[in-house]
Amino acid sequence: MKRTAGLGLAAVLIALWVLLWGDLSVANVVSGAVVVALVVLAIPDVGLGFTRPTIRPLWALRFAARVLIGLGGAVLVVGVEVLAPRPRINTGIVAVPLPHCSDTLLTLVANVLGLAPGTMPIEVTRDPAVIYLHVLHLHDVEALRADVNRLAELAVRAFGTPEAVAGLS
């Protein structure tokens, strides 16, 4: 099964290579295969055999709903700020520890936070797992940390390993 997943990923990478060149030719397919092989040989940890991610559908829907609601709220807040006659901007940088996040989930949470207007991850550290956020409207540091931790908890429950989920309890 691992080998099949690796071949599928290799095929996707070669297809992306061909799409980037914009020409389906034997030369592009062969050169794409060579590049994929060189990457796998040069960086063995990348390997094309990867494990299938864990997805818990109900928690994934809750995560997606939370993201969409958060994005909608952020768009409204920034829109009101743009149209307001007097700005009420109170910027700040906040460190938010996320101890239960793997590298993958830390990346997911950071990218989701970067989607929202008014919030920008400026640094992510792995050990310990911390996201440093620049926030346009900072009113309560602890409320912001609790909000980001709730998002991270939903990400762990939706996509985390069984061990990570057990660690939340």
Side-chain angles (χ1 to χ4, degrees):
M1 184 163 109
K2 218 175 189 186
R3 186 179 209 59
T4 306
L7 292 176
L9 181 60
V12 168
L13 292 174
I14 292 169
L16 285 173
W17 176 267
V18 171
L19 286 172
L20 287 172
W21 282 102
D23 180 33
L24 177 61
S25 66
V26 173
N28 275 341
V29 172
V30 170
S31 64
V34 169
V35 168
V36 168
L38 288 174
V39 167
V40 170
L41 290 174
I43 310 170
D45 289 344
V46 167
L48 290 179
F50 64 95
T51 57
R52 184 172 291 233
T54 302
I55 299 175
R56 295 173 194 84
L58 181 60
W59 285 105
L61 286 173
R62 291 174 89 177
F63 177 78
R66 166 68 177 77
V67 168
L68 291 174
I69 290 168
L71 285 175
V75 167
L76 286 174
V77 167
V78 171
V80 167
E81 187 65 42
V82 168
L83 298 174
R86 289 188 358 220
R88 297 173 308 194
I89 296 175
N90 184 30
T91 63
I93 296 175
V94 179
V96 183
L98 300 172
H100 298 293
C101 284
S102 65
D103 290 351
T104 303
L105 293 178
L106 196 59
T107 303
L108 174 66
V109 171
N111 282 308
V112 165
L113 291 169
L115 290 173
T119 306
M120 178 58 62
I122 55 173
E123 184 176 354
V124 178
T125 61
R126 335 173 35 179
D127 195 20
V130 177
I131 294 179
Y132 295 88
L133 293 172
H134 178 272
V135 183
L136 192 62
H137 290 96
L138 181 62
H139 301 293
D140 184 354
V141 172
E142 290 310 315
L144 174 68
R145 283 187 180 134
D147 191 43
V148 173
N149 275 304
R150 178 65 182 143
L151 178 68
E153 179 185 336
L154 286 171
V156 169
R157 291 189 187 282
F159 310 110
T161 63
E163 296 82 23
V165 173
L168 291 174
S169 301

